[in-house]
Amino acid sequence: MATGVYNQAIGAFQSNSHINNFNHQHKFNYIGRLVVTKDFFSSYGLSKRDLRVSKCIEYQTSVVDSVSSASRSRTSDRDTHKKSNEAALILVRHGESLWNEKNLFTGCVDVPLSKKGIDEAIEAGKRISSIPVDLIFTSALIRAQMTAMLAMTQHRHMKVPIIMHNESEQAREWSQVFCKDTKEHSIPVIAAWQLNERMYGELQGLNKQETAQRYGKEQVHEWRRSYNIPPPNGESLEMCAERAVAYFRDQIEPQLLSGKNVMVSAHGNSLRSIIMYLDKLTSQEVINLELSTGIPMLYIFKEGRFIRRGSPIGPTEAGVYAYTRRCVYKSC
Ligand SMILES: O=C(O)[C@@H](CO)OP(=O)(O)O
């Protein structure tokens, strides 16, 4: 296996001013630390010369696309000729919701993004704007759907995300698109309840800080972060994982296997359970896994394995860490 190893993690997951400067100076955006095979390069029609962009890396990554308009017009060709058995998986927790802002337990309550959440979703879109996306999965909740849609407004391919309505024969029939070219410039979006936030039971709508004062920090921490202890009448992470990971394996993995690049826009706990599966975390390790709102995380799927990429390395980048295994729990 011819493999280029990129040792320096800088780039698309750093601050946006950095990204903008970087894009201005170079033809390509890029995604931090990557292991990319030769096949993966050629599958997007990128040459080694095209990919020489930074003193910090040898080559560019093939999941990253050229920003030039000429290259943009070649995108569909490139996609058509894609033969690689590698695919990109982008996971993004929705931007801040109006209830995150108020510090309320949200769970399956369908709350929209706050102003800050909208900005976060747009910033998330900038970070992934050079990664071709073939298919989007979101939860059934509006905050995840808004995040996916807003993120895609920033994408270089300018494809239009279209929600697939599979709830009835009529819904399928009535939402058909009859132009091949228009279809090619669209990205199907599949909304699935299985990717919803874990159901928080009787905590939904309560203030997190007041709940910690009432029941004690430790009890609330147990409800929020233990693996198999559910909040009153709610789902534990284990229960959430049963549906979210099953959905991921049955519906999302086959798409990656077929070479499609997939974005999943979902929630703190549904994504924690999926990451637990992808990174083979133990039920102890997942306790310390925290996800930031609106920070995309990139995985490369190759030969049945998920290779995690994308979180920047270095103390100065703490503000944009997508997630950290070791975090200090804060009762907020
Ligand atoms: O309220 C919720 O639904 C979740 C995510 O915001 O909270 P927690 O941080 O407890 O997982």
Side-chain angles (χ1 to χ4, degrees), residues 93 100 104-107 143 197 200 208 224-225 269:
R93 182 184 171 198
N100 292 143
L104 307 182
F105 285 100
T106 314
R143 56 193 185 274
E197 181 54 289
Y200 245 125
K208 289 176 184 174
R224 290 180 73 185
R225 289 296 172 265
N269 293 295

Side-chain angles (χ1 to χ4, degrees), residues 91-211:
L91 305 180
V92 61
R93 182 184 171 198
H94 62 82
E96 183 197 74
S97 75
L98 286 168
W99 277 17
N100 292 143
E101 190 181 39
K102 289 179 186 294
N103 203 20
L104 307 182
F105 285 100
T106 314
C108 284
V109 182
D110 205 355
V111 177
L113 297 183
S114 67
K115 169 76 177 68
K116 181 178 165 202
I118 290 170
D119 292 343
E120 286 175 340
I122 290 169
E123 290 307 315
K126 288 179 184 164
R127 288 170 187 233
I128 58 163
S129 63
S130 295
I131 306 172
V133 175
D134 301 308
L135 187 56
I136 297 172
F137 289 87
T138 80
S139 76
L141 301 173
I142 192 78
R143 56 193 185 274
Q145 296 181 6
M146 283 177 83
T147 300
M149 295 294 171
L150 289 166
M152 294 319 290
T153 63
Q154 304 302 307
H155 204 278
R156 300 193 187 290
H157 288 176
M158 308 297 284
K159 287 188 179 179
V160 177
I162 293 180
I163 296 185
M164 300 287 112
H165 285 281
N166 286 325
E167 57 268 21
S168 69
E169 189 54 46
Q170 191 194 56
R172 271 191 293 276
E173 181 83 21
W174 285 21
S175 58
Q176 281 186 82
V177 176
F178 289 95
C179 173
K180 192 167 170 272
D181 190 50
T182 306
K183 260 189 177 173
E184 274 170 11
H185 289 91
S186 315
I187 304 177
V189 180
I190 297 166
W193 68 267
Q194 291 90 335
L195 299 173
N196 281 5
E197 181 54 289
R198 59 108 158 242
M199 209 278 276
Y200 245 125
E202 290 167 23
L203 301 186
Q204 287 185 175
L206 298 184
N207 181 282
K208 289 176 184 174
Q209 192 172 3
E210 286 167 14
T211 308

Side-chain angles (χ1 to χ4, degrees), residues 203-330:
L203 301 186
Q204 287 185 175
L206 298 184
N207 181 282
K208 289 176 184 174
Q209 192 172 3
E210 286 167 14
T211 308
Q213 280 159 2
R214 182 163 168 205
Y215 296 98
K217 276 188 178 182
E218 279 175 20
Q219 173 65 82
V220 172
H221 184 220
E222 196 168 65
W223 285 334
R224 290 180 73 185
R225 289 296 172 265
S226 63
Y227 181 63
N228 51 11
I229 300 170
N233 287 317
E235 281 184 309
S236 63
L237 187 65
E238 186 178 27
M239 290 153 85
C240 175
E242 267 172 37
R243 54 159 164 103
V245 175
Y247 186 83
F248 184 88
R249 295 177 68 157
D250 294 348
Q251 305 296 326
I252 301 177
E253 250 181 62
Q255 301 291 347
L256 294 164
L257 260 175
S258 73
K260 286 199 173 131
N261 288 349
V262 173
M263 177 166 96
V264 179
S265 176
H267 303 264
N269 293 295
S270 53
L271 288 175
R272 285 173 73 228
S273 64
I274 288 171
I275 288 169
M276 184 182 177
Y277 165 69
L278 301 180
D279 288 355
K280 299 186 173 57
L281 303 183
T282 66
S283 53
Q284 273 305 303
E285 285 173 321
V286 78
I287 289 173
N288 295 322
L289 173 62
E290 292 285 343
L291 302 187
S292 304
T293 49
I295 303 292
M297 291 161 276
L298 174 68
Y299 285 79
I300 303 298
F301 181 69
K302 178 164 172 62
E303 291 165 2
R305 284 193 324 121
F306 289 95
I307 305 160
R308 180 160 60 84
R309 294 290 177 260
S311 292
I313 294 166
T316 57
E317 298 303 324
V320 293
Y321 267 46
Y323 83 75
T324 160
R325 281 193 193 198
R326 289 166 191 280
C327 83
V328 182
Y329 171 71
K330 284 189 222 119

Side-chain angles (χ1 to χ4, degrees), residues 33-60:
R33 193 172 176 196
L34 284 169
V35 178
V36 180
T37 68
K38 210 171 158 189
D39 282 355
F40 204 45
F41 268 131
S42 55
S43 66
Y44 288 98
L46 299 176
S47 71
K48 185 172 168 178
R49 186 171 54 88
D50 286 337
L51 301 170
R52 200 190 306 126
V53 293
S54 162
K55 62 180 182 220
C56 299
I57 55 175
E58 292 170 75
Y59 305 133
Q60 190 50 269

